């Protein structure tokens, strides 16, 4: 079935300049994983940085998720045919503390990971290109898509409660592959699609800066020669 232009527009991720999603670089303290783990002083991570890592986000109406035209458009455009809702809290998840620790193991998936927070809150942590952890805080109404092959982990915050919708293309496969998995096709695909392009962009910026420096030096030298003449 052909998708209409309105569906395509509704399904677009929230523009970075409009996003209120909060993210920051993490400290390396041994505090509980549910703590904020903010550096001192704070080191915010911009939405632009997160987008360059392949992470997409939306702000949706969680109180109307059953009939939300924006959510319907996202599902249609991105082929999310499966959905369910999970609730994580100490009194509903057996072996809660142990399970929470297992969520926090660094891993990847062979498909996108999609979470839409209907109630409560939590954190997704992702690695930047320099292997530094960025913590993304998710609250009610936040929807996030992590790309296939990205190293990441999840934890609740100190409220110990989240109700989230999970979405998937086709039959769901939740298998986590704990790091290291650098030879997996999904990881290689992620590196090629995102991390390699960031390295190339950095090299180009450095080359442009170097070239401009050479031009400035040449111009200054020419000016000196004119003065001496």
């Amino acid at each position: 079935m052909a998708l209409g232009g309105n569906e395509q527009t509704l399904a677009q991720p929230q523009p970075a300049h409009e996003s209120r999603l909060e993210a920051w670089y993490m400290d390396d303290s041994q505090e509980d994983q549910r703590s904020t783990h903010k550096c001192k002083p704070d080191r915010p991570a911009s939405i632009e940085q997160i987008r360059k890592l392949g992470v997409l986000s939306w702000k949706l109406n969680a109180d109307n998720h059953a009939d939300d035209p924006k959510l319907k458009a996202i599902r249609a455009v991105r082929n999310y045919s499966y959905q369910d809702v999970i609730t994580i809290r100490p009194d509903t998840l057996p072996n809660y503390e142990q399970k929470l620790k297992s969520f926090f193991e660094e891993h990847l998936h062979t498909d996108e990971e999609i979470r839409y927070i209907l109630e409560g809150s939590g954190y997704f942590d992702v690695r930047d290109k320099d292997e530094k952890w960025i913590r993304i805080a998710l609250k009610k109404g936040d929807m996030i898509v992590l790309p296939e092959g990205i190293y990441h982990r999840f934890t609740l915050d100190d409220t110990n409660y989240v109700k989230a919708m999970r979405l998937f293309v086709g039959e769901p496969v939740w298998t986590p592959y704990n790091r290291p998995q650098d030879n997996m096709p999904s990881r290689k695909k992620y590196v090629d699609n995102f991390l390699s392009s960031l390295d190339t962009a950095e090299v180009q910026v450095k080359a442009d800066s170097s070239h401009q420096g050479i031009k400035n030096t040449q111009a200054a030298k020419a000016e000196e020669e004119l003065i001496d003449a």
Side-chain angles (χ1 to χ4, degrees):
M1 184 178 68
L3 297 171
N6 188 50
E7 280 183 308
Q8 295 282 358
T9 300
L10 281 175
Q12 290 299 308
Q14 189 175 22
H17 69 276
E18 292 180 6
S19 178
R20 295 295 178 266
L21 202 65
E22 187 182 5
W24 57 87
Y25 279 93
M26 297 181 67
D27 66 17
D28 56 1
S29 76
Q30 299 303 308
E31 288 184 58
D32 189 287
Q33 66 193 56
R34 288 162 283 197
S35 299
T36 59
H37 283 279
K38 288 189 174 183
C39 296
K40 296 179 182 179
D42 190 16
R43 291 184 59 204
S46 69
I47 301 304
E48 288 83 357
Q49 285 175 278
I50 294 169
R51 292 283 168 84
K52 288 177 181 177
L53 297 173
V55 178
L56 303 177
S57 62
W58 292 258
K59 191 68 174 181
L60 304 176
N61 182 2
D63 291 328
N64 187 39
H65 64 270
D67 300 307
D68 185 3
K70 194 165 187 174
L71 178 59
K72 289 179 180 179
I74 292 168
R75 292 191 62 186
V77 169
R78 301 183 68 85
N79 297 313
Y80 296 151
S81 54
Y82 175 91
Q83 78 167 51
D84 66 11
V85 175
I86 57 169
T87 299
I88 304 174
R89 63 187 187 195
D91 61 338
T92 60
L93 183 64
N95 302 314
Y96 175 77
E97 293 293 337
Q98 183 180 343
K99 287 285 189 182
L100 207 59
K101 284 182 171 59
S102 71
F103 297 156
F104 205 58
E105 290 286 338
E106 185 175 3
H107 63 278
L108 60 77
H109 298 289
T110 55
D111 295 277
E112 289 181 338
E113 181 163 358
I114 307 103
R115 294 291 182 273
Y116 174 19
I117 309 301
L118 303 179
E119 296 176 7
S121 50
Y123 300 125
F124 269 105
D125 301 335
V126 298
R127 294 278 193 184
D128 76 356
K129 67 179 186 62
D130 296 318
E131 293 287 307
K132 303 295 185 184
W133 280 116
I134 294 176
R135 171 153 284 190
I136 305 169
L138 298 179
K139 300 177 181 179
K140 181 178 178 179
D142 290 329
M143 179 175 172
I144 192 171
V145 174
L146 303 183
E148 170 191 347
I150 190 174
Y151 283 132
H152 66 283
R153 61 192 183 189
F154 172 77
T155 185
L156 271 67
D157 57 21
D158 56 12
T159 65
N160 286 300
Y161 173 64
V162 72
K163 181 178 180 181
M165 180 183 293
R166 303 188 296 184
L167 298 160
F168 206 85
V169 177
E171 287 299 311
V173 179
W174 311 121
T175 308
Y177 295 90
N178 290 349
R179 191 172 187 175
Q181 298 293 343
D182 294 342
N183 291 322
M184 282 190 70
S186 289
R187 180 60 185 175
K188 291 181 177 179
K189 177 182 174 182
Y190 175 76
V191 170
D192 288 343
N193 288 347
F194 297 103
L195 301 188
S196 295
S197 62
L198 286 176
D199 289 339
T200 301
E202 272 199 359
V203 168
Q204 185 59 51
V205 167
K206 290 178 181 177
D208 290 345
S209 298
S210 177
H211 180 63
Q212 186 61 47
I214 291 171
K215 288 176 66 177
N216 291 343
T217 301
Q218 289 173 339
K221 187 175 180 180
E223 187 175 345
E224 287 178 1
E225 290 174 349
L226 283 173
I227 292 172
D228 292 341

